[in-house]
Amino acid sequence: IINRDGYILTNNHVVGDATEIKVKLSDGREFMAKVVGKDPPTDVALIRLEKAPHDLPTVALGDSDALEQGDFVLALGNPFGLSGSASFGMVSAKARSLQNGPFDDFIQTDAAINPGNSGGPLFNMKGEVVGINTAIVSPMARESPKTTAATIPGMACGITTYLIVCHWVAPTASEASRMPNGTVRITS
């Protein structure tokens, strides 16, 4: 939750086709939510809790550009439906491309990101969100799509806060429901 008005940043692939969104907080409270904006090319979505009280816990966004290889990070999520899970790791690499499009700029970490972790925060050791847990990459998963991510070696990746801030936080939430991405066309 990025502010007291109940705005939450998550992955587009988590809420993209949802007809109903229910958010359960760690204190047990549940809220219905609506998609405010989504951007498939960056896989970022912004949702807002309905009837959100003003005592919501919020997180601070950190600077993912300040992360260095070897820095410790903490991934939170609900892997395999197990709520409130945390995994600890380090930044293995930055500016990782998954060849998903022109906005690839992932943080690679060895903190476990499994199915269900997507959309959750990736924290630095100051307690600031530096990314959104997004994907796990493994050659074994490509060979056997039925293999679960928990049983295969791979790398986990999170969207950087630079991308989040540029596309979602700096523009106001009341603007268009789809954020335009800048492109450059070179012709000769």
Side-chain angles (χ1 to χ4, degrees):
I1 302 173
I2 61 169
N3 66 28
R4 300 237 183 250
D5 292 326
Y7 286 95
I8 300 173
L9 286 165
T10 189
N11 290 121
N12 178 65
H13 77 264
V14 171
V15 298
D17 295 326
T19 56
E20 182 178 274
I21 301 170
K22 186 185 288 186
V23 175
K24 184 175 181 178
L25 304 183
S26 60
D27 64 9
R29 291 183 289 173
E30 293 185 3
F31 300 94
M32 298 305 294
K34 295 281 186 201
V35 174
V36 175
K38 57 184 179 176
D39 187 49
T42 60
D43 194 23
V44 176
L46 181 67
I47 63 174
R48 184 175 187 188
L49 300 178
E50 296 178 345
K51 301 177 186 174
H54 289 286
D55 67 341
L56 294 170
T58 60
V59 294
L61 293 179
D63 181 4
S64 60
D65 286 344
L67 285 176
E68 295 184 11
Q69 190 174 31
D71 284 353
F72 294 120
V73 290
L74 182 72
L76 296 184
N78 299 305
F80 307 108
L82 303 170
S83 63
S85 293
S87 60
F88 181 77
M90 69 176 180
V91 174
S92 304
K94 291 175 53 180
R96 194 59 86 198
S97 174
L98 300 181
Q99 300 177 349
N100 286 338
F103 302 102
D104 273 13
D105 183 20
F106 291 95
I107 301 163
Q108 179 185 340
T109 177
D110 65 350
I113 297 178
N114 293 304
N117 277 89
S118 287
L122 182 68
F123 287 97
N124 63 17
M125 292 297 96
K126 296 178 188 174
E128 301 165 328
V129 175
V130 291
I132 299 175
N133 303 330
T134 302
I136 186 162
V137 178
S138 171
M140 291 173 69
R142 288 188 195 119
E143 294 167 13
S144 177
K146 295 181 181 180
T147 305
T148 61
T151 62
I152 54 179
M155 68 177 190
C157 294
I159 296 173
T160 64
T161 53
Y162 173 79
L163 185 61
I164 295 165
V165 171
C166 287
H167 287 271
W168 294 98
V169 179
T172 63
S174 62
E175 291 180 13
S177 64
R178 186 185 181 291
M179 300 302 296
N181 292 307
T183 57
V184 176
R185 178 173 290 168
I186 300 173
T187 57
S188 56

